[in-house]
Amino acid sequence: VYDVHGRKVTTLATGMYPAGIHTVTWDGSDSAGNRVVSGVYFCHFTAGPYSATRRIIGWFCSARGQEILVHFGLNNCPV
């Protein structure tokens, strides 16, 4: 996850995943565990030779723990 200035905020997942659609959850924390501010962020993922970046909007409330589900996957990609 990156902020609007291109700075890395956190990593949601690493490693190998089988083909298909996967879901990860972001609790609105940076890599140090600090809560980030509400706003626009970008989620970047790579699958083999393919990569994509998607905009996500985080609305985080300190009074209650809100999480964002981030769905990612590549459909109909040649192998």
Short mmCIF file of all heavy atoms in Angstrom, two decimals:
data_model
loop_
_atom_site.label_atom_id
_atom_site.label_comp_id
_atom_site.label_asym_id
_atom_site.label_seq_id
_atom_site.Cartn_x
_atom_site.Cartn_y
_atom_site.Cartn_z
N VAL A 1 0.85 -1.17 0.00
CA VAL A 1 0.00 0.00 0.00
C VAL A 1 0.90 1.23 0.00
O VAL A 1 1.87 1.30 0.77
CB VAL A 1 -0.94 0.02 1.23
CG1 VAL A 1 -1.75 1.30 1.28
CG2 VAL A 1 -1.85 -1.19 1.23
N TYR A 2 0.57 2.19 -0.86
CA TYR A 2 1.35 3.43 -0.99
C TYR A 2 0.43 4.63 -0.79
O TYR A 2 -0.76 4.56 -1.10
CB TYR A 2 1.98 3.50 -2.38
CG TYR A 2 2.97 2.38 -2.62
CD1 TYR A 2 2.55 1.15 -3.07
CD2 TYR A 2 4.32 2.59 -2.38
CE1 TYR A 2 3.46 0.12 -3.27
CE2 TYR A 2 5.23 1.57 -2.59
CZ TYR A 2 4.79 0.33 -3.03
OH TYR A 2 5.69 -0.69 -3.23
N ASP A 3 0.99 5.72 -0.28
CA ASP A 3 0.20 6.95 -0.14
C ASP A 3 0.23 7.73 -1.46
O ASP A 3 0.86 7.31 -2.43
CB ASP A 3 0.67 7.79 1.05
CG ASP A 3 2.06 8.37 0.90
OD1 ASP A 3 2.62 8.38 -0.23
OD2 ASP A 3 2.61 8.84 1.92
N VAL A 4 -0.44 8.86 -1.49
CA VAL A 4 -0.55 9.64 -2.73
C VAL A 4 0.78 10.24 -3.17
O VAL A 4 0.91 10.67 -4.31
CB VAL A 4 -1.62 10.76 -2.62
CG1 VAL A 4 -3.00 10.17 -2.45
CG2 VAL A 4 -1.29 11.72 -1.49
N HIS A 5 1.78 10.23 -2.30
CA HIS A 5 3.10 10.74 -2.64
C HIS A 5 4.04 9.63 -3.10
O HIS A 5 5.21 9.87 -3.36
CB HIS A 5 3.72 11.48 -1.45
CG HIS A 5 2.89 12.62 -0.98
ND1 HIS A 5 2.74 13.80 -1.71
CD2 HIS A 5 2.12 12.77 0.12
CE1 HIS A 5 1.93 14.61 -1.07
NE2 HIS A 5 1.54 14.02 0.04
N GLY A 6 3.51 8.40 -3.17
CA GLY A 6 4.31 7.27 -3.61
C GLY A 6 5.14 6.62 -2.53
O GLY A 6 5.93 5.72 -2.80
N ARG A 7 4.94 7.01 -1.28
CA ARG A 7 5.69 6.42 -0.18
C ARG A 7 5.00 5.13 0.25
O ARG A 7 3.78 5.07 0.39
CB ARG A 7 5.75 7.37 1.01
CG ARG A 7 6.57 8.62 0.72
CD ARG A 7 6.58 9.54 1.92
NE ARG A 7 5.22 10.00 2.17
CZ ARG A 7 4.89 11.28 2.42
NH1 ARG A 7 5.83 12.19 2.47
NH2 ARG A 7 3.65 11.62 2.63
N LYS A 8 5.81 4.11 0.48
CA LYS A 8 5.26 2.83 0.92
C LYS A 8 4.72 2.97 2.34
O LYS A 8 5.41 3.45 3.23
CB LYS A 8 6.34 1.75 0.86
CG LYS A 8 5.82 0.37 1.15
CD LYS A 8 6.94 -0.64 0.93
CE LYS A 8 6.42 -2.04 1.10
NZ LYS A 8 7.48 -3.01 0.83
N VAL A 9 3.47 2.53 2.54
CA VAL A 9 2.83 2.59 3.84
C VAL A 9 2.97 1.26 4.56
O VAL A 9 3.36 1.20 5.72
CB VAL A 9 1.33 2.97 3.70
CG1 VAL A 9 0.62 2.92 5.03
CG2 VAL A 9 1.21 4.34 3.06
N THR A 10 2.64 0.18 3.88
CA THR A 10 2.72 -1.16 4.47
C THR A 10 2.67 -2.20 3.37
O THR A 10 2.35 -1.91 2.22
CB THR A 10 1.58 -1.38 5.48
OG1 THR A 10 1.84 -2.57 6.24
CG2 THR A 10 0.23 -1.50 4.81
N THR A 11 2.96 -3.42 3.74
CA THR A 11 2.84 -4.57 2.85
C THR A 11 1.71 -5.44 3.39
O THR A 11 1.71 -5.81 4.56
CB THR A 11 4.15 -5.37 2.80
OG1 THR A 11 5.18 -4.53 2.31
CG2 THR A 11 4.01 -6.59 1.91
N LEU A 12 0.75 -5.76 2.54
CA LEU A 12 -0.39 -6.56 2.97
C LEU A 12 -0.16 -8.06 2.82
O LEU A 12 -0.68 -8.85 3.59
CB LEU A 12 -1.64 -6.17 2.18
CG LEU A 12 -2.10 -4.72 2.34
CD1 LEU A 12 -3.34 -4.47 1.49
CD2 LEU A 12 -2.37 -4.40 3.80
N ALA A 13 0.58 -8.46 1.80
CA ALA A 13 0.81 -9.88 1.56
C ALA A 13 2.08 -10.06 0.77
O ALA A 13 2.44 -9.21 -0.05
CB ALA A 13 -0.37 -10.48 0.81
N THR A 14 2.76 -11.15 1.02
CA THR A 14 3.94 -11.51 0.24
C THR A 14 3.89 -13.00 -0.02
O THR A 14 3.11 -13.72 0.59
CB THR A 14 5.25 -11.18 0.99
OG1 THR A 14 5.27 -11.90 2.22
CG2 THR A 14 5.38 -9.69 1.26
N GLY A 15 4.72 -13.46 -0.91
CA GLY A 15 4.80 -14.89 -1.15
C GLY A 15 4.01 -15.31 -2.37
O GLY A 15 3.47 -14.50 -3.11
N MET A 16 3.95 -16.60 -2.55
CA MET A 16 3.27 -17.19 -3.71
C MET A 16 1.82 -17.52 -3.35
O MET A 16 1.54 -18.02 -2.27
CB MET A 16 4.00 -18.48 -4.13
CG MET A 16 5.45 -18.27 -4.51
SD MET A 16 5.67 -17.31 -6.00
CE MET A 16 5.03 -18.45 -7.21
N TYR A 17 0.93 -17.25 -4.28
CA TYR A 17 -0.48 -17.58 -4.13
C TYR A 17 -0.89 -18.41 -5.35
O TYR A 17 -0.40 -18.17 -6.45
CB TYR A 17 -1.35 -16.32 -4.09
CG TYR A 17 -1.26 -15.58 -2.78
CD1 TYR A 17 -0.20 -14.73 -2.51
CD2 TYR A 17 -2.25 -15.72 -1.83
CE1 TYR A 17 -0.12 -14.05 -1.31
CE2 TYR A 17 -2.18 -15.02 -0.63
CZ TYR A 17 -1.11 -14.19 -0.39
OH TYR A 17 -1.04 -13.52 0.81
N PRO A 18 -1.81 -19.36 -5.18
CA PRO A 18 -2.29 -20.10 -6.35
C PRO A 18 -3.12 -19.19 -7.24
O PRO A 18 -3.58 -18.12 -6.80
CB PRO A 18 -3.15 -21.21 -5.73
CG PRO A 18 -3.56 -20.68 -4.40
CD PRO A 18 -2.43 -19.80 -3.95
N ALA A 19 -3.31 -19.58 -8.49
CA ALA A 19 -4.12 -18.79 -9.41
C ALA A 19 -5.51 -18.57 -8.84
O ALA A 19 -6.05 -19.43 -8.14
CB ALA A 19 -4.21 -19.51 -10.75
N GLY A 20 -6.10 -17.42 -9.12
CA GLY A 20 -7.46 -17.14 -8.66
C GLY A 20 -7.57 -15.78 -8.01
O GLY A 20 -6.67 -14.96 -8.05
N ILE A 21 -8.70 -15.56 -7.38
CA ILE A 21 -9.00 -14.30 -6.69
C ILE A 21 -8.68 -14.49 -5.21
O ILE A 21 -9.03 -15.49 -4.61
CB ILE A 21 -10.49 -13.93 -6.86
CG1 ILE A 21 -10.86 -13.85 -8.34
CG2 ILE A 21 -10.80 -12.63 -6.14
CD1 ILE A 21 -10.12 -12.77 -9.11
N HIS A 22 -8.02 -13.49 -4.63
CA HIS A 22 -7.63 -13.55 -3.23
C HIS A 22 -8.05 -12.27 -2.52
O HIS A 22 -8.21 -11.23 -3.14
CB HIS A 22 -6.12 -13.75 -3.11
CG HIS A 22 -5.65 -14.97 -3.82
ND1 HIS A 22 -5.73 -16.22 -3.26
CD2 HIS A 22 -5.14 -15.13 -5.07
CE1 HIS A 22 -5.28 -17.10 -4.12
NE2 HIS A 22 -4.92 -16.47 -5.24
N THR A 23 -8.22 -12.35 -1.22
CA THR A 23 -8.62 -11.20 -0.42
C THR A 23 -7.65 -11.02 0.73
O THR A 23 -7.30 -11.99 1.40
CB THR A 23 -10.04 -11.40 0.14
OG1 THR A 23 -10.95 -11.58 -0.93
CG2 THR A 23 -10.48 -10.20 0.97
N VAL A 24 -7.21 -9.79 0.93
CA VAL A 24 -6.42 -9.44 2.10
C VAL A 24 -7.14 -8.30 2.81
O VAL A 24 -7.93 -7.58 2.21
CB VAL A 24 -4.97 -9.04 1.75
CG1 VAL A 24 -4.21 -10.21 1.17
CG2 VAL A 24 -4.94 -7.86 0.82
N THR A 25 -6.87 -8.16 4.09
CA THR A 25 -7.52 -7.12 4.88
C THR A 25 -6.48 -6.12 5.36
O THR A 25 -5.42 -6.51 5.85
CB THR A 25 -8.22 -7.75 6.10
OG1 THR A 25 -9.17 -8.71 5.63
CG2 THR A 25 -8.95 -6.69 6.91
N TRP A 26 -6.79 -4.83 5.20
CA TRP A 26 -5.92 -3.78 5.71
C TRP A 26 -6.66 -3.08 6.84
O TRP A 26 -7.77 -2.58 6.68
CB TRP A 26 -5.57 -2.80 4.60
CG TRP A 26 -4.66 -1.69 5.03
CD1 TRP A 26 -3.69 -1.76 5.98
CD2 TRP A 26 -4.63 -0.36 4.54
NE1 TRP A 26 -3.03 -0.56 6.10
CE2 TRP A 26 -3.61 0.33 5.22
CE3 TRP A 26 -5.38 0.32 3.58
CZ2 TRP A 26 -3.31 1.65 4.97
CZ3 TRP A 26 -5.07 1.64 3.33
CH2 TRP A 26 -4.05 2.30 4.03
N ASP A 27 -6.03 -3.03 8.00
CA ASP A 27 -6.67 -2.41 9.17
C ASP A 27 -6.38 -0.92 9.29
O ASP A 27 -6.72 -0.29 10.28
CB ASP A 27 -6.26 -3.13 10.44
CG ASP A 27 -4.77 -3.00 10.75
OD1 ASP A 27 -4.05 -2.36 9.96
OD2 ASP A 27 -4.35 -3.55 11.77
N GLY A 28 -5.74 -0.35 8.28
CA GLY A 28 -5.45 1.08 8.31
C GLY A 28 -4.19 1.44 9.06
O GLY A 28 -3.99 2.60 9.41
N SER A 29 -3.33 0.46 9.30
CA SER A 29 -2.08 0.71 10.00
C SER A 29 -0.91 0.72 9.02
O SER A 29 -0.95 0.02 8.00
CB SER A 29 -1.83 -0.38 11.05
OG SER A 29 -2.83 -0.34 12.03
N ASP A 30 0.13 1.48 9.36
CA ASP A 30 1.33 1.45 8.54
C ASP A 30 2.21 0.28 9.00
O ASP A 30 1.82 -0.49 9.89
CB ASP A 30 2.07 2.79 8.59
CG ASP A 30 2.61 3.15 9.97
OD1 ASP A 30 2.66 2.28 10.88
OD2 ASP A 30 2.98 4.32 10.15
N SER A 31 3.39 0.15 8.41
CA SER A 31 4.24 -1.00 8.72
C SER A 31 4.76 -0.98 10.16
O SER A 31 5.17 -2.01 10.68
CB SER A 31 5.42 -1.06 7.74
OG SER A 31 6.16 0.14 7.79
N ALA A 32 4.70 0.18 10.83
CA ALA A 32 5.11 0.28 12.23
C ALA A 32 3.95 0.08 13.20
O ALA A 32 4.12 0.13 14.41
CB ALA A 32 5.76 1.64 12.49
N GLY A 33 2.74 -0.15 12.64
CA GLY A 33 1.57 -0.35 13.49
C GLY A 33 0.81 0.91 13.84
O GLY A 33 -0.15 0.87 14.59
N ASN A 34 1.23 2.05 13.29
CA ASN A 34 0.54 3.31 13.55
C ASN A 34 -0.66 3.47 12.62
O ASN A 34 -0.58 3.13 11.44
CB ASN A 34 1.50 4.49 13.32
CG ASN A 34 2.71 4.41 14.21
OD1 ASN A 34 2.60 4.23 15.41
ND2 ASN A 34 3.88 4.50 13.60
N ARG A 35 -1.73 4.01 13.14
CA ARG A 35 -2.93 4.26 12.33
C ARG A 35 -2.66 5.37 11.33
O ARG A 35 -2.12 6.41 11.70
CB ARG A 35 -4.10 4.63 13.24
CG ARG A 35 -5.42 4.88 12.53
CD ARG A 35 -6.02 3.64 11.97
NE ARG A 35 -6.67 2.89 13.04
CZ ARG A 35 -7.39 1.82 12.81
NH1 ARG A 35 -7.56 1.40 11.60
NH2 ARG A 35 -7.93 1.19 13.80
N VAL A 36 -3.01 5.15 10.06
CA VAL A 36 -2.83 6.19 9.05
C VAL A 36 -4.08 7.05 8.98
O VAL A 36 -5.13 6.69 9.50
CB VAL A 36 -2.51 5.58 7.65
CG1 VAL A 36 -1.23 4.76 7.72
CG2 VAL A 36 -3.67 4.75 7.14
N VAL A 37 -3.97 8.20 8.33
CA VAL A 37 -5.11 9.10 8.20
C VAL A 37 -6.02 8.61 7.08
O VAL A 37 -5.60 7.90 6.16
CB VAL A 37 -4.66 10.55 7.93
CG1 VAL A 37 -3.84 11.07 9.09
CG2 VAL A 37 -3.89 10.66 6.64
N SER A 38 -7.28 9.00 7.13
CA SER A 38 -8.21 8.69 6.06
C SER A 38 -7.76 9.37 4.78
O SER A 38 -7.18 10.46 4.82
CB SER A 38 -9.62 9.16 6.42
OG SER A 38 -10.09 8.48 7.56
N GLY A 39 -7.99 8.74 3.66
CA GLY A 39 -7.60 9.34 2.40
C GLY A 39 -7.46 8.31 1.30
O GLY A 39 -7.91 7.18 1.42
N VAL A 40 -6.81 8.72 0.23
CA VAL A 40 -6.61 7.86 -0.94
C VAL A 40 -5.27 7.16 -0.82
O VAL A 40 -4.25 7.78 -0.51
CB VAL A 40 -6.67 8.68 -2.24
CG1 VAL A 40 -6.37 7.81 -3.45
CG2 VAL A 40 -8.03 9.35 -2.38
N TYR A 41 -5.27 5.87 -1.08
CA TYR A 41 -4.06 5.06 -1.08
C TYR A 41 -4.07 4.21 -2.34
O TYR A 41 -5.09 4.09 -3.02
CB TYR A 41 -4.00 4.17 0.17
CG TYR A 41 -3.84 4.99 1.42
CD1 TYR A 41 -4.94 5.49 2.10
CD2 TYR A 41 -2.57 5.29 1.91
CE1 TYR A 41 -4.79 6.28 3.23
CE2 TYR A 41 -2.41 6.07 3.04
CZ TYR A 41 -3.52 6.56 3.70
OH TYR A 41 -3.36 7.34 4.81
N PHE A 42 -2.94 3.62 -2.64
CA PHE A 42 -2.82 2.79 -3.83
C PHE A 42 -2.28 1.43 -3.43
O PHE A 42 -1.32 1.33 -2.66
CB PHE A 42 -1.90 3.45 -4.86
CG PHE A 42 -2.46 4.73 -5.37
CD1 PHE A 42 -2.18 5.93 -4.74
CD2 PHE A 42 -3.31 4.75 -6.47
CE1 PHE A 42 -2.72 7.12 -5.19
CE2 PHE A 42 -3.86 5.93 -6.92
CZ PHE A 42 -3.57 7.12 -6.29
N CYS A 43 -2.92 0.40 -3.94
CA CYS A 43 -2.51 -0.98 -3.68
C CYS A 43 -1.89 -1.53 -4.96
O CYS A 43 -2.54 -1.52 -6.01
CB CYS A 43 -3.72 -1.80 -3.26
SG CYS A 43 -3.31 -3.49 -2.82
N HIS A 44 -0.66 -1.98 -4.88
CA HIS A 44 0.05 -2.50 -6.05
C HIS A 44 0.26 -4.00 -5.86
O HIS A 44 0.61 -4.45 -4.77
CB HIS A 44 1.41 -1.81 -6.19
CG HIS A 44 2.20 -2.32 -7.35
ND1 HIS A 44 1.95 -1.93 -8.64
CD2 HIS A 44 3.19 -3.23 -7.40
CE1 HIS A 44 2.78 -2.56 -9.44
NE2 HIS A 44 3.55 -3.35 -8.71
N PHE A 45 0.00 -4.76 -6.91
CA PHE A 45 0.27 -6.19 -6.83
C PHE A 45 0.90 -6.67 -8.12
O PHE A 45 0.77 -6.07 -9.17
CB PHE A 45 -0.98 -6.99 -6.48
CG PHE A 45 -2.06 -6.96 -7.53
CD1 PHE A 45 -2.11 -7.94 -8.51
CD2 PHE A 45 -3.02 -5.97 -7.53
CE1 PHE A 45 -3.10 -7.92 -9.47
CE2 PHE A 45 -4.02 -5.95 -8.49
CZ PHE A 45 -4.06 -6.93 -9.46
N THR A 46 1.61 -7.78 -7.99
CA THR A 46 2.30 -8.39 -9.12
C THR A 46 1.98 -9.87 -9.14
O THR A 46 1.98 -10.53 -8.10
CB THR A 46 3.82 -8.19 -8.99
OG1 THR A 46 4.10 -6.80 -8.91
CG2 THR A 46 4.56 -8.80 -10.17
N ALA A 47 1.70 -10.38 -10.33
CA ALA A 47 1.45 -11.82 -10.52
C ALA A 47 2.23 -12.24 -11.76
O ALA A 47 1.83 -11.95 -12.88
CB ALA A 47 -0.04 -12.09 -10.69
N GLY A 48 3.37 -12.87 -11.52
CA GLY A 48 4.22 -13.26 -12.65
C GLY A 48 4.66 -12.02 -13.40
O GLY A 48 5.11 -11.04 -12.81
N PRO A 49 4.46 -12.01 -14.73
CA PRO A 49 4.87 -10.85 -15.51
C PRO A 49 3.85 -9.71 -15.48
O PRO A 49 4.08 -8.65 -16.05
CB PRO A 49 5.00 -11.41 -16.92
CG PRO A 49 4.01 -12.51 -16.96
CD PRO A 49 4.03 -13.12 -15.57
N TYR A 50 2.74 -9.89 -14.83
CA TYR A 50 1.67 -8.89 -14.80
C TYR A 50 1.67 -8.14 -13.48
O TYR A 50 1.95 -8.69 -12.43
CB TYR A 50 0.31 -9.57 -15.01
CG TYR A 50 0.25 -10.35 -16.28
CD1 TYR A 50 0.46 -11.71 -16.29
CD2 TYR A 50 0.02 -9.70 -17.50
CE1 TYR A 50 0.45 -12.43 -17.47
CE2 TYR A 50 0.00 -10.41 -18.69
CZ TYR A 50 0.21 -11.78 -18.66
OH TYR A 50 0.21 -12.48 -19.84
N SER A 51 1.35 -6.87 -13.55
CA SER A 51 1.22 -6.08 -12.33
C SER A 51 0.11 -5.06 -12.53
O SER A 51 -0.24 -4.71 -13.65
CB SER A 51 2.54 -5.39 -11.96
OG SER A 51 2.88 -4.44 -12.94
N ALA A 52 -0.43 -4.58 -11.42
CA ALA A 52 -1.49 -3.58 -11.47
C ALA A 52 -1.45 -2.76 -10.19
O ALA A 52 -0.98 -3.21 -9.15
CB ALA A 52 -2.85 -4.25 -11.62
N THR A 53 -1.95 -1.55 -10.30
CA THR A 53 -2.09 -0.66 -9.14
C THR A 53 -3.53 -0.20 -9.11
O THR A 53 -4.08 0.22 -10.13
CB THR A 53 -1.15 0.55 -9.25
OG1 THR A 53 0.19 0.06 -9.34
CG2 THR A 53 -1.28 1.45 -8.04
N ARG A 54 -4.16 -0.29 -7.96
CA ARG A 54 -5.56 0.11 -7.80
C ARG A 54 -5.67 1.15 -6.69
O ARG A 54 -5.00 1.04 -5.66
CB ARG A 54 -6.44 -1.10 -7.45
CG ARG A 54 -6.45 -2.18 -8.50
CD ARG A 54 -7.21 -1.73 -9.72
NE ARG A 54 -7.29 -2.79 -10.70
CZ ARG A 54 -6.55 -2.88 -11.79
NH1 ARG A 54 -5.63 -1.97 -12.02
NH2 ARG A 54 -6.69 -3.87 -12.63
N ARG A 55 -6.54 2.10 -6.92
CA ARG A 55 -6.79 3.13 -5.91
C ARG A 55 -7.75 2.56 -4.87
O ARG A 55 -8.74 1.90 -5.21
CB ARG A 55 -7.40 4.36 -6.56
CG ARG A 55 -7.66 5.48 -5.57
CD ARG A 55 -8.30 6.65 -6.24
NE ARG A 55 -9.59 6.21 -6.74
CZ ARG A 55 -10.40 6.93 -7.48
NH1 ARG A 55 -10.04 8.13 -7.86
NH2 ARG A 55 -11.56 6.47 -7.89
N ILE A 56 -7.46 2.80 -3.61
CA ILE A 56 -8.38 2.43 -2.54
C ILE A 56 -8.58 3.68 -1.67
O ILE A 56 -7.68 4.50 -1.52
CB ILE A 56 -7.88 1.25 -1.69
CG1 ILE A 56 -6.46 1.49 -1.17
CG2 ILE A 56 -7.92 -0.04 -2.47
CD1 ILE A 56 -5.93 0.38 -0.30
N ILE A 57 -9.77 3.83 -1.14
CA ILE A 57 -10.07 4.97 -0.30
C ILE A 57 -10.27 4.46 1.12
O ILE A 57 -11.10 3.58 1.36
CB ILE A 57 -11.32 5.73 -0.79
CG1 ILE A 57 -11.07 6.24 -2.20
CG2 ILE A 57 -11.68 6.86 0.17
CD1 ILE A 57 -12.26 6.88 -2.86
N GLY A 58 -9.48 4.98 2.03
CA GLY A 58 -9.56 4.55 3.42
C GLY A 58 -10.29 5.58 4.27
O GLY A 58 -9.94 6.75 4.26
N TRP A 59 -11.32 5.13 4.94
CA TRP A 59 -12.03 5.98 5.90
C TRP A 59 -11.83 5.33 7.26
O TRP A 59 -12.49 4.37 7.60
CB TRP A 59 -13.52 6.05 5.58
CG TRP A 59 -13.78 6.59 4.22
CD1 TRP A 59 -14.10 5.87 3.10
CD2 TRP A 59 -13.75 7.96 3.81
NE1 TRP A 59 -14.25 6.71 2.03
CE2 TRP A 59 -14.04 8.00 2.43
CE3 TRP A 59 -13.47 9.15 4.48
CZ2 TRP A 59 -14.08 9.18 1.72
CZ3 TRP A 59 -13.52 10.32 3.77
CH2 TRP A 59 -13.82 10.33 2.41
N PHE A 60 -10.88 5.84 8.00
CA PHE A 60 -10.53 5.21 9.25
C PHE A 60 -11.03 6.04 10.42
O PHE A 60 -10.89 7.25 10.44
CB PHE A 60 -9.00 5.03 9.35
CG PHE A 60 -8.45 4.25 8.20
CD1 PHE A 60 -7.63 4.86 7.26
CD2 PHE A 60 -8.77 2.92 8.04
CE1 PHE A 60 -7.12 4.15 6.19
CE2 PHE A 60 -8.27 2.19 6.97
CZ PHE A 60 -7.45 2.80 6.05
N CYS A 61 -11.60 5.38 11.38
CA CYS A 61 -12.15 6.04 12.56
C CYS A 61 -11.42 5.49 13.78
O CYS A 61 -11.40 4.28 14.00
CB CYS A 61 -13.65 5.74 12.66
SG CYS A 61 -14.41 6.39 14.14
N SER A 62 -10.81 6.37 14.56
CA SER A 62 -10.05 5.90 15.71
C SER A 62 -10.94 5.35 16.82
O SER A 62 -10.49 4.60 17.66
CB SER A 62 -9.19 7.04 16.26
OG SER A 62 -10.00 8.12 16.66
N ALA A 63 -12.22 5.72 16.82
CA ALA A 63 -13.12 5.26 17.88
C ALA A 63 -13.51 3.80 17.70
O ALA A 63 -13.85 3.12 18.66
CB ALA A 63 -14.37 6.12 17.91
N ARG A 64 -13.46 3.30 16.47
CA ARG A 64 -13.80 1.91 16.24
C ARG A 64 -12.90 1.37 15.14
O ARG A 64 -12.53 2.08 14.22
CB ARG A 64 -15.27 1.75 15.86
CG ARG A 64 -15.68 2.59 14.71
CD ARG A 64 -17.17 2.51 14.45
NE ARG A 64 -17.43 3.42 13.34
CZ ARG A 64 -18.41 3.30 12.51
NH1 ARG A 64 -19.27 2.35 12.66
NH2 ARG A 64 -18.57 4.15 11.53
N GLY A 65 -12.53 0.14 15.27
CA GLY A 65 -11.61 -0.45 14.30
C GLY A 65 -12.31 -0.77 13.00
O GLY A 65 -13.18 -1.62 12.95
N GLN A 66 -11.96 -0.06 11.96
CA GLN A 66 -12.53 -0.33 10.64
C GLN A 66 -11.43 -0.91 9.77
O GLN A 66 -10.28 -0.53 9.87
CB GLN A 66 -13.09 0.93 10.01
CG GLN A 66 -14.28 1.48 10.75
CD GLN A 66 -14.84 2.71 10.06
OE1 GLN A 66 -14.22 3.29 9.20
NE2 GLN A 66 -16.04 3.06 10.44
N GLU A 67 -11.81 -1.83 8.92
CA GLU A 67 -10.86 -2.46 8.04
C GLU A 67 -11.33 -2.35 6.61
O GLU A 67 -12.52 -2.21 6.35
CB GLU A 67 -10.70 -3.94 8.40
CG GLU A 67 -10.17 -4.14 9.81
CD GLU A 67 -10.10 -5.60 10.20
OE1 GLU A 67 -10.83 -6.41 9.60
OE2 GLU A 67 -9.31 -5.92 11.09
N ILE A 68 -10.40 -2.41 5.70
CA ILE A 68 -10.71 -2.40 4.27
C ILE A 68 -10.33 -3.75 3.70
O ILE A 68 -9.21 -4.23 3.94
CB ILE A 68 -9.92 -1.30 3.54
CG1 ILE A 68 -10.35 0.07 4.03
CG2 ILE A 68 -10.07 -1.41 2.04
CD1 ILE A 68 -9.54 1.19 3.45
N LEU A 69 -11.24 -4.37 2.99
CA LEU A 69 -10.92 -5.60 2.28
C LEU A 69 -10.36 -5.22 0.93
O LEU A 69 -10.94 -4.42 0.21
CB LEU A 69 -12.16 -6.47 2.09
CG LEU A 69 -12.75 -7.08 3.35
CD1 LEU A 69 -13.99 -7.90 3.00
CD2 LEU A 69 -11.74 -7.94 4.07
N VAL A 70 -9.24 -5.77 0.59
CA VAL A 70 -8.61 -5.50 -0.70
C VAL A 70 -8.64 -6.79 -1.50
O VAL A 70 -8.03 -7.78 -1.11
CB VAL A 70 -7.16 -5.00 -0.51
CG1 VAL A 70 -6.52 -4.74 -1.87
CG2 VAL A 70 -7.13 -3.76 0.35
N HIS A 71 -9.40 -6.79 -2.59
CA HIS A 71 -9.51 -7.97 -3.45
C HIS A 71 -8.54 -7.79 -4.60
O HIS A 71 -8.48 -6.72 -5.21
CB HIS A 71 -10.93 -8.10 -4.01
CG HIS A 71 -11.97 -8.18 -2.95
ND1 HIS A 71 -12.27 -9.34 -2.31
CD2 HIS A 71 -12.75 -7.23 -2.39
CE1 HIS A 71 -13.21 -9.12 -1.41
NE2 HIS A 71 -13.52 -7.84 -1.44
N PHE A 72 -7.81 -8.82 -4.90
CA PHE A 72 -6.91 -8.71 -6.04
C PHE A 72 -6.85 -10.02 -6.78
O PHE A 72 -7.08 -11.09 -6.23
CB PHE A 72 -5.51 -8.28 -5.60
CG PHE A 72 -4.80 -9.26 -4.69
CD1 PHE A 72 -3.92 -10.19 -5.20
CD2 PHE A 72 -5.01 -9.23 -3.32
CE1 PHE A 72 -3.27 -11.08 -4.38
CE2 PHE A 72 -4.37 -10.11 -2.49
CZ PHE A 72 -3.50 -11.04 -3.00
N GLY A 73 -6.61 -9.93 -8.06
CA GLY A 73 -6.46 -11.13 -8.88
C GLY A 73 -6.41 -10.73 -10.33
O GLY A 73 -6.69 -9.60 -10.71
N LEU A 74 -6.01 -11.64 -11.14
CA LEU A 74 -5.95 -11.43 -12.58
C LEU A 74 -6.79 -12.50 -13.25
O LEU A 74 -6.57 -13.69 -13.06
CB LEU A 74 -4.50 -11.52 -13.07
CG LEU A 74 -3.57 -10.42 -12.56
CD1 LEU A 74 -2.14 -10.74 -12.91
CD2 LEU A 74 -3.97 -9.09 -13.16
N ASN A 75 -7.77 -12.08 -13.99
CA ASN A 75 -8.63 -13.01 -14.71
C ASN A 75 -8.27 -13.02 -16.19
O ASN A 75 -7.92 -12.00 -16.76
CB ASN A 75 -10.11 -12.60 -14.56
CG ASN A 75 -10.58 -12.73 -13.14
OD1 ASN A 75 -10.18 -13.65 -12.44
ND2 ASN A 75 -11.39 -11.80 -12.70
N ASN A 76 -8.41 -14.15 -16.80
CA ASN A 76 -8.20 -14.30 -18.25
C ASN A 76 -6.83 -13.86 -18.71
O ASN A 76 -6.69 -13.23 -19.75
CB ASN A 76 -9.28 -13.54 -19.03
CG ASN A 76 -10.67 -13.99 -18.63
OD1 ASN A 76 -10.90 -15.17 -18.46
ND2 ASN A 76 -11.58 -13.05 -18.50
N CYS A 77 -5.82 -14.13 -17.92
CA CYS A 77 -4.45 -13.79 -18.32
C CYS A 77 -3.82 -14.99 -18.98
O CYS A 77 -3.96 -16.11 -18.51
CB CYS A 77 -3.62 -13.40 -17.10
SG CYS A 77 -4.13 -11.84 -16.39
N PRO A 78 -3.12 -14.78 -20.07
CA PRO A 78 -2.45 -15.90 -20.70
C PRO A 78 -1.33 -16.42 -19.81
O PRO A 78 -0.70 -15.66 -19.08
CB PRO A 78 -1.88 -15.29 -21.99
CG PRO A 78 -1.81 -13.84 -21.72
CD PRO A 78 -2.90 -13.53 -20.74
N VAL A 79 -1.12 -17.71 -19.84
CA VAL A 79 -0.04 -18.31 -19.04
C VAL A 79 1.01 -18.90 -19.94
O VAL A 79 0.80 -19.13 -21.09
CB VAL A 79 -0.58 -19.38 -18.09
CG1 VAL A 79 -1.38 -18.73 -17.01
CG2 VAL A 79 -1.39 -20.41 -18.82
#
